[in-house]
Amino acid sequence: MIGLPEKIPGLRWLTILLAAYFVVWIVLEGDLGQTVLLGVASCVTAAARLIEKVGRGRVLSRLLWLLSLGLMGLLIGAGSVVATLAYMALKTGLHAHGPEFTPTEIAWVWGQLPLWSLVGGLIGLGLAALYIGMNDQ
């Protein structure tokens, strides 16, 4: 059985850092790398907040923990694509001098959906297994 912590260490600071990065990102010219970073960081932070809120103090079986984090990782990977595309649209809408991103960049981000979903799921499984190994009694 895996006991989930009451609080995730450093989550408050991660949220503050994400908000600060968003403020800086909004004034910069459109850069795909910066936008992908914002999309991924937003999804990771949102997932960590959800885990902290829903999982606070709960006890899960190892299998359920592995499945939950694997699914959460898959959703973070897929959500990162959607969030990145949303940020790309937001940036283009805010800056009135024309598109910030090329159609090729937009197509590239959309094309990453299967890969990022798979990688996110594998990272979730890996982190779940690592957590189990570190907290095994």
Side-chain angles (χ1 to χ4, degrees):
M1 300 302 269
I2 300 298
L4 302 181
E6 291 291 322
K7 291 192 130 320
I8 296 176
L11 184 54
R12 182 170 187 241
W13 285 108
L14 178 64
T15 305
I16 292 168
L17 217 67
L18 176 62
Y21 182 69
F22 178 81
V23 170
V24 170
W25 171 84
I26 208 78
V27 296
L28 298 174
E29 286 299 313
D31 178 77
L32 185 59
Q34 295 167 352
T35 308
V36 167
L37 177 63
L38 183 62
V40 173
S42 296
C43 288
V44 167
T45 303
R49 289 233 166 251
L50 180 66
I51 289 170
E52 186 178 79
K53 187 166 183 80
V54 174
R56 180 172 285 170
R58 290 187 186 218
V59 177
L60 302 175
S61 70
R62 288 186 175 124
L63 178 60
L64 185 56
W65 177 245
L66 285 167
L67 291 175
S68 296
L69 251 62
L71 179 61
M72 182 67 75
L74 185 134
L75 293 175
I76 289 170
S80 294
V81 169
V82 174
T84 300
L85 290 171
Y87 286 132
M88 291 168 87
L90 174 68
K91 176 78 90 161
T92 298
L94 289 176
H95 293 195
H97 57 73
E100 293 280 327
F101 302 96
T102 66
T104 304
E105 290 173 322
I106 295 167
W108 180 85
V109 171
W110 180 249
Q112 299 309 302
L113 183 64
L115 176 64
W116 290 4
S117 299
L118 175 66
V119 169
L122 292 173
I123 289 171
L125 285 172
L127 289 174
L130 184 64
Y131 189 82
I132 288 170
M134 290 174 54
N135 294 292
D136 208 6
Q137 268 79 16

